[in-house]
Structures are given as structure tokens and as C-alpha cells.
Amino acid sequence: MAKDHGKAASAFELFAIDKLLSEEERAIRDTVRKFGEQALRPQIAEWFETATLPARELARELGKLGVLGMHLEGYGCAGTNAVSYGLACLELEAVDSGIRSLVSVQGSLAMYAIWAFGSEEQKQEWLPRMATGEAIGCFGLTEPDYGSNPAGMRTFAKRDGGDWVINGTKMWITNGSIADVAIVWARTDDGIRGFVVPTGTAGFSAREIKHKMSLRASVTSELVLDGVRLPASAVLPGARGLSGPLSCLNEARFGIVFGALGAAYDCLQTATSYAMDREVFGKPLAAYQLTQEKLANMALELGKGMLLALHLGRLKDDHRLAPEQISLGKLNNVREALRVARECRTILGANGITLEYPVIRHANNLESVLTYEGTSEIHTLVVGKALTGHAAFA
Ligand SMILES: Cc1cc2nc3c(=O)[nH]c(=O)nc-3n(C[C@H](O)[C@H](O)[C@H](O)COP(=O)(O)OP(=O)(O)OC[C@H]3O[C@@H](n4cnc5c(N)ncnc54)[C@H](O)[C@@H]3O)c2cc1C
């Protein structure tokens, strides 16, 4: 985080957020923050600029830190509460949304799918190695022609004797070309099912998507399944229909509710510090009312977003969190984080467009966060349905 200035309080200090956290939650947050500052921040701008994330090494370090599948119980996972997981996401995303994406996809999408819907054999085979970061997972739901509406997916898994044979293409898959295992969702004669696909299986290939202007410190890939033959035991026995993948997405979206605030917090800390150091017309930029109005409004949004995130986290820990409530959090916190990042960019003036500062990187990353795990439009429609009873998706 940016250096502290005299009596300047951060947005979270102003809202006394620490008072709402247990000692253990604060300790987990501080540990992840320290890791982010020491192991990630010094190199993140370069990884972003060159689009070269050392994902394999990082996964092992993140495994050692204990954040991979940290909110899951057993199989080598830490078994923390949901709020602690959210705080870890916040701290990782304060460095870069790409790092948080690696952790979200590994823990909340790939590991969660196996943990919640897998056979005991699948759990034993994959979860301990995924928790240490020795094995990397990806989650293939989106297809070139079906993103917001995965019900239309074309990837098909056909029974052939005792085997399954899968054909299809998945698009925009985080960790795809570095994964050891892919959770692939496919249409079958029996509805949508999930499959645990070792990426070394014949017929499976993954190509990294290049030229992204967002989430450059994250691997995004296309998966091609060309007659991938799997044994009967590859299907996730507990998942039937779209509710399987959607429940995994709810897990990951929950992390984003907190995570996006991390990116915004880092922008606000940077902009505040910059405004205090930068002199314009003979006094610090921070001493002008227009600047203070920007800072105050951003601190308000950040603090309100954090209160919302914590409220949803407490509901989740109490097993009372509904999907439409996660939509409220994702919609609000990502939207406001992006606004904060853009506003902070203005405070930095021309310096705001360089990678010397994290702000434009966060702003560009948040464009992806606005789109993945349900676009802001889709979450708006989910909230609209909850408010009116009318589904306006189609
Ligand atoms: C960097 C990155 C990483 C990703 N990682 C993964 C991953 O690991 N696994 C995975 O499965 N997917 C992943 N995705 C895909 C992501 O989930 C999809 O991009 C997202 O669901 C949107 O789908 P789409 O891009 O096909 O957009 P579309 O569905 O084509 O939507 C285009 C626009 O139309 C809007 N729209 C759609 N339906 C409606 C409607 N009914 N009413 C009004 N507006 C509507 C959308 O909100 C959007 O603005 C990733 C995407 C990105 C960018």
C-alpha cells in the first residue's frame, strides 16, 4: 500500500472496519497483505507489461500461504470462514486482479466444483495437490457463442460404452493453458454435467489468448476438446444441470465482492498520497476542495462497499446468503471500484496513464472483472427479478 501520511486516515480506518473483524480475520488479512507487498508488488507491473505471470511458481507460493481453497474443509484446505477468504481476495486484488483471479479460479471454481460435487476418489486425487499449488485447475463454462447464457452451450459429452467422449470449445478460460486439470461443463443426453478432465488427455488442447489490454498478469485461454475420451468415473456425480456451475460461480463472485475493493483501495491510497505530494498552483493538490470532494466520495463508496461485503460475508458464514444478494455485492462493488479507479486516474494527471503507478493497471483489470463471473447487466437483471418477480433475461 502507499505510504501513510501524517494524520491522514485511510477509507477503511475512517469507517473503523477493523472493529468489525475478529482477531483471526485481521491476522489472516495481515499475513496475505505482507505476502502481497513482499512477494508480488515489486514485480507486478512488469508481469502486467510483459504479460508473463510465473503462474506455476506463484501457485506453489500461494499454496504455502494457504489461500488456495482456503474456505474449504478437509483435503489439505485451511477451512477458514468466508470473511477471511474475502479479506484474502481483497489483499491479493490490492496488488492485481490477475493474482486474485488465479486464486479465485483455483479455489472457488475448480477446487470447489470437485469439493462440492466430486466423488471421494476425485477429491482425494486432486484437492490436496491443488491446495498446495502443485496442480493447477481451470473451469470451462463459457463458449465462443455462449457467455451470459451458458444454457445454450454446444460442448457435448456422449456415452460410448462405459466411456464419455467430449467435443467442443471453451473460451476465455482463466488458467486454461497452464492447468493440470480442467472442470469442463458439457451438454449430455441427461442434461448439463461437469467433467474432471486431466489436461494431458488425448484430444485436449489449450491456446493462450494474447493481446489483452486487461488482466495481463493472468493466463486466459481457449480450450479445444476434440474427441476427448474419459472413463465413466470422470463425471462429477453430484452436479446435474446448470445449478452445478452456477453454485461454483457464486463462490467466486463472493470473493470478487471483496476483491474489487482491494483494487479500489490501492488506487485511492495511491491517489491520496500523490495528491499530498504533488503541488499545483503553489500548494498540495490534496488541499483543494475539488480534490477533497473526489477523495471523500471515493472513501464513502469504498467504506459502504466494505460494509456490504462484510454483511454478505457474515450471512455466508451463517449459511443464509442468497444468490441475488451476491449479485447485489458484485454489481455494486465492481461498478464502484471501476469508478474509483477512473477518478483516481484523474488525480494523477499524466502520471495516471503509466505503469509507474498501479492505477491504470487496476482500472484496465476491473474492465474484465465487470464482465466475468456474470456481467454487470446480468447481475442487474438478477436484482431486477428479485425486486419484481419478472425475469427479463430473454
Ligand atoms: C479475462 C477473462 C477471464 C475469464 N475467465 C473465465 C473462466 O475462467 N471460465 C469461464 O467459463 N469463463 C470465463 N470468462 C468468460 C466470462 O464469464 C464471459 O465473458 C461473460 O460471462 C460474458 O460473456 P460474453 O463475453 O460471451 O458476453 P455476452 O454474453 O455476449 O454479452 C455481451 C454483452 O451483452 C450483455 N447481455 C447479455 N445478455 C443480456 C440480456 N439478457 N440483456 C441485456 N444485456 C445482455 C452483456 O451484459 C454484455 O454487456 C472470462 C472472461 C474474461 C474477460
Side-chain angles (χ1 to χ4, degrees), residues 206-256:
R207 172 189 67 90
E208 186 170 355
I209 297 171
K210 303 278 189 189
H211 311 299
K212 291 179 298 173
M213 296 303 288
S214 172
L215 280 191
R216 290 177 60 77
S218 173
V219 175
T220 316
S221 315
E222 177 188 25
L223 311 182
V224 176
L225 296 107
D226 182 9
V228 170
R229 181 174 287 275
L230 298 165
S233 59
V235 74
L236 290 170
R240 278 173 190 274
L242 259 191
S243 63
L246 292 184
S247 71
C248 301
L249 288 170
N250 275 331
E251 291 295 304
R253 285 166 186 160
F254 171 78
I256 293 175

Side-chain angles (χ1 to χ4, degrees), residues 82-120:
V83 168
S84 298
Y85 170 57
L87 293 169
C89 287
L90 187 153
E91 293 302 330
L92 293 171
E93 197 149 356
V95 179
D96 194 273
S97 304
I99 309 282
R100 199 268 308 135
S101 299
L102 171 73
V103 170
S104 289
V105 169
Q106 176 84 347
S108 287
L109 293 180
M111 290 176 75
Y112 180 81
I114 297 172
W115 184 85
F117 305 119
S119 64
E120 190 53 36

